[in-house]
């Protein structure tokens, strides 16, 4: 057996071209501890084969390789081939470093005293406070014997007798929590703060309660990818307050669902203050049958969606059949970028209600709202739109069947946005259009591309002349706000569907429920990847590093260099440009840029556009002039095919084709260029 063993060792020696001198590795192989059959080892071999030797290997790209070991890689590849991955999804997500929503454990319910939740994490309060002893000693055994055991999360946190303070709490299921509870208050303060993937369920929370107050303060602040479900929250509750203050601020991809929230409630007040401020690109908030069948339910949305980017909200059957509702939307969507809200059957069949939209969408960029069958069949209701849609770049509103069949309603539109559709209302009795269609655009369009103060973040786009040593510029937020993920190996990704025709199958694999956040994330990513290329653009979405290498070399050849901005230092600050170097001599060239897309595994949208210049520049701290970062910037010389409402023109002024536009390569994004 000795001879075959020696032959096998020789085979591996030549296959991986490893030479060790004094304990150090030289050449393109692996250390003695690395398994040559892992996805990472396979990627290294692929790089060495596809990229010419004079190009330095990108350790940054290699670090994105799948962390699966050889055995797990083979196991999950087999499961993928058998369409059986969903049965092992939690294990697969954990081992492969994927982004997956956790399956929520059963409910925490029927507490009897006031509870304060602040910063709570991964604890099990089964039968907390109950005199009955635990039926098993497994948790104690695992702890004492230093064993690896998952917490045994059984159904309920119930019947505790003392006030409880929860710190660092997140991703729990509060189904039936506070059901039929008389009085008292629950405070969720700093709940799920700074989390990565936050998923909570508050189903039937405070159902049939009396004078019960719920306060969500700084909830899910600065978290990434948040999904909250408030189904039948406060149903048939009497009195009390539901207060959401600083809820989901600074969140990436926020989503909340309020289904049948306060349905059948009596005198229960709901307030949403500073909700989703500075949030980014969420599927938004869904309010279905909110306050339906209620009586005397004041609802306040103040500074909702302020300074957020592409946040949408849907209000379906909001306040349906409600009596004496009082809804106030103040500074809703202020300073937002493309806010989108849909009001369907809002206030349908209600009576004696008062709705106010004041400074709604003020100073926003574009934005689109749809009011379908708003106040239909209602009576004696009042709707007042004051300074609605006063955007610096006007959007549009569509009113279909608005107030149809209503009796005794008063509808007022004062200083309303100019791009709206009011068919049927020109001579409608009871509708007042004061100063309607008065343009409120505050934008100035500079033809020379000088900076114009718009919603667009300062420094996100800039002119090529800015890239000179000694120039002081604002640096945008270049931090990567996506969940941390890894590529999948080709042996697995080649067996997974990725097409809009198989969205249902993809959703099944990743446990994405109907109308869920994950379902929207998957659909958005796949749809964008299937979008036809723009004029002159060559594009491809890649979920493996090998696919990225193939695309980049197909455009640029095999002598390439991949670069990224070194770190995030200088983000959202004024910095000074240090030494600047033009890639390929600063000449107009071809390049491939790869930007992350949100998806369960690491997915990049890679594209090549003609006529660009690529630069690398030292970034200096403004006062000390010390180097804090090394940035990569790309300048698009030909912008003639860009849309006139592109953020670059909103930020810099001018029009397509008149100016070049530059931007930084953000953290974890990549730029490929021909090697000098």
């Amino acid at each position: 057996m000795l001879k075959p063993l020696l032959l096998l060792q020789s085979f591996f020696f030549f296959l991986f071209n490893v030479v060790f001198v004094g304990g150090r590795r030289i050449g393109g192989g692996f250390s003695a501890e690395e398994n040559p059959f892992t996805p990472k080892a396979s990627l290294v071999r692929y790089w060495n084969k596809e990229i010419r030797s004079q190009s330095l290997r990108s350790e940054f790209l290699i670090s994105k390789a799948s962390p699966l070991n050889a055995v797990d890689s083979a196991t999950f590849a087999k499961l993928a081939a058998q369409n059986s991955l969903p049965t092992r999804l939690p294990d697969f997500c954990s081992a492969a470093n994927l982004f997956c929503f956790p399956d929520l454990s059963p409910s925490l319910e029927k507490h009897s005293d006031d509870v304060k939740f602040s910063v709570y994490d991964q604890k099990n309060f089964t039968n907390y406070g109950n005199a009955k002893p635990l039926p098993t000693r497994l948790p104690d055994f695992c702890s004492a014997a230093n064993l690896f055991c998952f917490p045994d999360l059984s159904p309920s946190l119930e019947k505790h007798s003392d006030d409880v303070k929860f710190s660092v709490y997140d991703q729990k299921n509060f189904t039936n929590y506070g059901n039929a509870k008389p009085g008292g208050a629950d405070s969720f303060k700093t709940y799920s703060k700074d989390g990565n993937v936050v998923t909570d369920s508050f189903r039937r929370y405070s159902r049939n309660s009396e004078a019960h107050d719920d306060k969500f303060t700084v909830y899910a602040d600065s978290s990434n990818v948040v999904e909250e479900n408030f189904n039948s929250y406060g149903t048939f509750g009497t009195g009390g307050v539901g207060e959401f203050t600083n809820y989901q601020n600074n969140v990436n991809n926020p989503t909340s669902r309020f289904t049948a929230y306060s349905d059948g409630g009596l005198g229960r007040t709901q307030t949403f203050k500073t909700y989703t401020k500075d949030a980014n690109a969420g599927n938004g908030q869904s309010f279905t049958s909110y306050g339906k069948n209620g009586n005397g339910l004041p609802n306040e949305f103040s500074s909702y969606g302020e300074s957020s980017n592409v946040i949408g909200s849907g209000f379906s059957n909001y306040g349906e059949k409600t009596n004496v509702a009082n809804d106030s939307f103040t500074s809703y969507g202020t300073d937002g970028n493309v806010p989108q809200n849909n009001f369907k059957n809002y206030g349908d069949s209600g009576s004696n209600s008062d709705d106010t939209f004041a400074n709604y969408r003020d100073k926003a960029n574009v934005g689109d709202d749809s009011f379908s069958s708003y106040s239909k069949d209602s009576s004696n209701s009042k709707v007042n739109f004051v300074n609605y849609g006063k955007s610096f770049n006007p959007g549009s509103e569509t009113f279909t069947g608005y107030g149809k069949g209503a009796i005794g309603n008063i509808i007022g539109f004062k200083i309303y946005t100019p791009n709206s559709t009011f068919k049927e209302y020109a001579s409608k009795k009871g509708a007042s259009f004061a100063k309607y269609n008065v343009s409120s655009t505050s934008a100035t369009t500079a033809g020379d591309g000088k900076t114009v103060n718009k919603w667009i973040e300062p420094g996100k786009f800039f002119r090529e002349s800015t890239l000179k040593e000694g120039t002081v510029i604002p640096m945008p937020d270049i931090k990567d706000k996506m969940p941390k993920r890894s590529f999948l190996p080709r042996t697995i990704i080649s067996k997974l569907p990725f097409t809009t025709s198989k969205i249902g199958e993809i959703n099944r694999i990743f446990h994405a429920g109907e109308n869920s956040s994950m379902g929207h994330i998957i659909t958005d990513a796949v749809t964008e990847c299937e979008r036809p290329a723009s004029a002159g653009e060559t594009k491809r979405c890649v979920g493996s590093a090998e696919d990225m290498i193939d695309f980049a070399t197909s455009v640029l050849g095999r002598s390439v260099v991949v670069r990224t901005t070194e770190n995030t230092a200088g983000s959202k600050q004024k910095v000074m440009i240090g030494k600047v170097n033009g890639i390929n001599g600063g000449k107009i060239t071809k390049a491939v840029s790869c930007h992350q897309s949100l998806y369960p595994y690491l997915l990049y949208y890679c594209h090549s556009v003609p006529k660009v210049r690529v630069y690398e520049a030292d970034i200096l701290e403004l006062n000390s002039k010390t180097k804090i970062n090394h940035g990569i910037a790309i300048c698009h010389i030909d912008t003639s095919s860009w849309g006139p409402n592109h953020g670059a023109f909103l930020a810099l002024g001018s029009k397509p084709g008149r100016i070049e536009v530059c931007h930084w390569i953000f953290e974890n994004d990549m730029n490929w260029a021909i090697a000098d």
Side-chain angles (χ1 to χ4, degrees):
M1 293 297 295
L2 182 59
K3 188 173 182 180
L5 180 60
L6 291 174
L7 288 174
L8 184 62
Q9 290 174 337
S10 299
F11 168 73
F12 283 129
F13 177 85
F14 289 108
L15 178 61
F16 304 116
N17 189 27
V18 182
V19 179
F20 292 92
V21 178
R24 293 185 300 110
R25 182 188 68 194
I26 61 176
F30 315 97
S31 68
E33 293 79 15
E34 292 181 30
N35 187 320
F37 298 106
T38 63
K40 180 178 179 181
S42 176
L43 174 58
V44 171
R45 291 195 297 275
Y46 198 79
W47 176 283
N48 293 339
K49 179 171 72 77
E50 297 296 325
I51 307 297
R52 288 183 179 169
S53 58
Q54 63 265 34
S55 300
L56 292 175
R57 191 174 78 195
S58 172
E59 299 306 322
F60 174 77
L61 179 64
I62 301 300
S63 71
K64 306 295 181 186
S66 173
L68 289 171
N69 59 42
V71 173
D72 283 346
S73 181
T75 299
F76 291 123
K78 182 178 180 180
L79 289 171
Q82 298 171 343
N83 295 319
S84 299
L85 266 182
T87 63
R88 294 283 304 279
L89 183 65
D91 297 336
F92 179 49
C93 291
S94 177
N97 188 32
L98 306 186
F99 160 56
C100 304
F101 282 126
D103 292 329
L104 289 175
S105 58
S107 62
L108 306 170
E109 56 182 310
K110 298 181 180 176
H111 72 84
S112 57
D113 298 307
D114 293 352
V115 182
K116 293 184 179 180
F117 295 86
S118 40
V119 209
Y120 191 90
D121 185 25
Q122 295 181 19
K123 299 296 181 187
N124 181 9
F125 284 81
T126 302
N127 295 320
Y128 183 89
N130 196 324
K132 183 180 178 179
L134 288 171
T136 168
R137 295 291 302 280
L138 179 62
D140 298 335
F141 176 55
C142 290
S143 175
N146 190 27
L147 305 184
F148 167 60
C149 304
F150 283 113
D152 185 15
L153 296 177
S154 53
S156 60
L157 165 72
E158 56 182 317
K159 299 181 181 177
H160 66 83
S161 56
D162 299 310
D163 291 347
V164 182
K165 185 176 183 180
F166 296 87
S167 332
V168 200
Y169 195 95
D170 70 4
Q171 294 182 178
K172 294 294 182 246
N173 184 356
F174 288 83
T175 301
N176 292 323
Y177 190 99
N179 198 334
K181 182 176 188 291
D186 293 332
S187 174
F188 292 80
K189 187 175 183 180
T190 325
Y191 186 104
S192 292
K193 188 177 189 299
D194 298 318
N196 185 30
V197 180
V198 177
T199 306
D200 299 317
S201 177
F202 292 82
R203 184 182 297 270
R204 296 187 296 275
Y205 189 106
S206 286
R207 181 185 178 97
N208 296 311
S209 62
E210 296 180 11
H212 183 241
D213 295 341
D214 305 316
K215 296 183 179 181
F216 293 81
T217 308
V218 199
Y219 189 106
D221 186 75
S222 301
S223 296
N224 189 34
V225 191
V226 176
E227 179 173 6
E228 318 290 347
N229 288 290
F230 292 84
N231 293 349
S232 302
Y233 183 107
T235 304
F236 302 112
T238 301
V241 175
E243 182 177 307
F244 293 80
T245 307
N246 292 319
Y247 186 100
Q248 291 191 6
N249 291 346
N250 301 300
V251 167
N252 193 36
N253 291 281
T255 300
S256 293
R257 292 184 182 83
F258 294 84
T259 304
Y261 188 107
S262 280
D263 189 352
L266 175 63
R268 183 172 172 83
T269 302
Q270 321 293 343
T271 63
F272 292 83
K273 296 181 180 180
T274 323
Y275 190 108
T276 62
K277 181 180 180 181
D278 296 317
N280 180 50
N283 295 313
Q285 321 308 321
S286 174
F287 294 85
T288 305
S289 300
Y290 186 108
K292 181 180 177 182
N293 300 310
N295 189 21
L297 302 178
N299 294 286
E300 179 184 354
F301 291 82
S302 177
S303 299
Y304 185 107
E306 182 180 349
S307 301
S308 293
N309 181 40
V310 197
I311 295 294
S313 296
F315 294 84
S316 300
N317 301 95
Y318 185 107
E320 184 179 1
K321 299 179 181 178
T322 298
N323 181 42
V324 197
N326 188 332
D327 299 329
S328 173
F329 292 81
T330 307
S331 300
Y332 189 108
T334 298
D335 287 319
N337 184 39
V338 197
Q340 297 176 333
N341 302 286
N342 293 299
F343 294 83
K344 296 181 181 179
N345 296 322
Y346 186 107
D348 191 344
S349 303
S351 62
N352 301 295
S353 298
D354 192 339
D355 299 330
T356 302
F357 292 81
N359 298 102
Y360 186 108
R361 227 174 64 201
D362 195 14
K363 300 179 183 178
N365 175 41
V366 196
D368 301 286
D369 295 330
S370 171
F371 291 83
S372 176
S373 300
Y374 189 105
S375 281
K376 178 183 175 184
D377 297 323
S378 59
S379 62
N380 301 314
S381 295
K382 181 181 178 181
V383 183
N384 194 13
F385 291 83
V386 183
N387 289 329
Y388 185 106
K390 195 175 180 181
S391 308
F392 75 77
N393 193 28
S396 65
E397 283 75 37
T398 302
F399 288 80
T400 307
Y402 188 103
K404 187 174 182 180
I407 300 174
N409 285 0
I410 300 175
I411 302 173
F413 296 87
K414 296 181 180 180
I415 314 182
Y416 200 85
T417 184
N419 293 336
S420 301
T421 303
F422 284 90
K423 296 179 180 179
E424 309 173 41
Y425 301 104
S427 59
K428 188 174 180 67
K429 187 178 180 180
S432 173
F433 296 83
K435 296 184 181 180
Y436 174 77
N437 271 354
V438 175
S439 176
S440 59
T441 302
S442 62
T444 56
T445 304
D448 58 358
K450 293 182 179 179
T451 300
V452 180
N453 186 17
K454 299 297 185 185
W455 184 90
I456 306 299
E457 184 182 13
K460 186 171 184 178
F461 301 103
F462 50 91
R463 301 294 303 275
E464 193 172 16
S465 58
T466 301
L467 288 169
K468 290 184 179 179
E469 190 170 357
T471 302
V472 176
I473 63 168
M475 192 75 170
D477 185 0
I478 62 173
K479 293 180 180 178
D480 173 18
K481 293 183 173 61
M482 296 283 185
K484 304 304 180 185
R485 298 154 295 156
S486 298
F487 280 124
L488 282 178
R490 268 186 169 173
T491 54
I492 295 177
I493 203 171
S494 62
K495 298 174 178 64
L496 299 180
F498 191 86
T499 174
T500 51
S501 64
K502 294 187 177 181
I503 288 294
E505 186 177 345
I506 301 173
N507 288 343
R508 183 184 66 85
I509 292 171
F510 292 106
H511 293 185
E514 184 179 358
N515 199 34
S516 66
S517 291
M518 181 58 76
H520 286 296
I521 287 168
I522 289 170
T523 299
D524 290 347
V526 177
T527 301
E528 175 62 16
C529 287
E530 291 186 352
R531 174 186 60 80
S534 304
E537 181 189 37
T538 304
K539 61 184 279 287
R540 183 181 179 186
C541 285
V542 298
S544 75
E546 291 87 347
D547 287 342
M548 184 183 285
I549 291 172
D550 286 351
F551 179 75
T553 54
S554 71
V555 175
L556 305 172
R558 296 176 63 187
S559 181
V560 291
V561 176
V562 57
R563 299 178 175 88
T564 188
T565 296
E566 192 171 280
N567 55 60
T568 62
S571 286
K572 303 173 73 171
Q573 302 174 15
K574 283 191 175 182
V575 296
M576 179 176 287
I577 299 296
K579 184 179 179 181
V580 179
N581 176 50
I583 305 302
N584 300 142
K587 299 177 183 178
I588 293 180
T589 184
K590 292 189 296 184
V592 170
S593 292
C594 294
H595 312 282
Q596 281 191 80
S597 295
L598 184 58
Y599 202 71
Y601 51 77
L602 187 57
L603 180 72
Y604 278 88
Y605 176 97
C606 294
H607 65 138
S608 173
V609 291
K611 298 183 180 179
V612 297
R613 291 191 182 96
V614 182
Y615 294 91
E616 54 184 348
D618 288 339
I619 298 171
L620 313 180
E621 199 274 328
L622 187 58
N623 296 320
S624 66
K625 309 297 187 297
T626 56
K627 178 183 173 181
I628 57 174
N629 204 345
H630 187 74
I632 305 299
I634 183 169
C635 294
H636 299 265
I637 308 304
D638 181 8
T639 59
S640 58
S641 64
W642 295 20
N645 291 323
H646 191 284
F649 304 127
L650 296 176
L652 303 175
S654 196
K655 297 179 180 179
R658 292 192 179 182
I659 61 170
E660 85 295 336
V661 173
C662 305
H663 61 84
W664 297 104
I665 298 296
F666 285 16
E667 180 189 21
N668 283 325
D669 287 348
M670 303 180 218
N671 177 266
W672 295 74
I674 299 171
D676 286 326

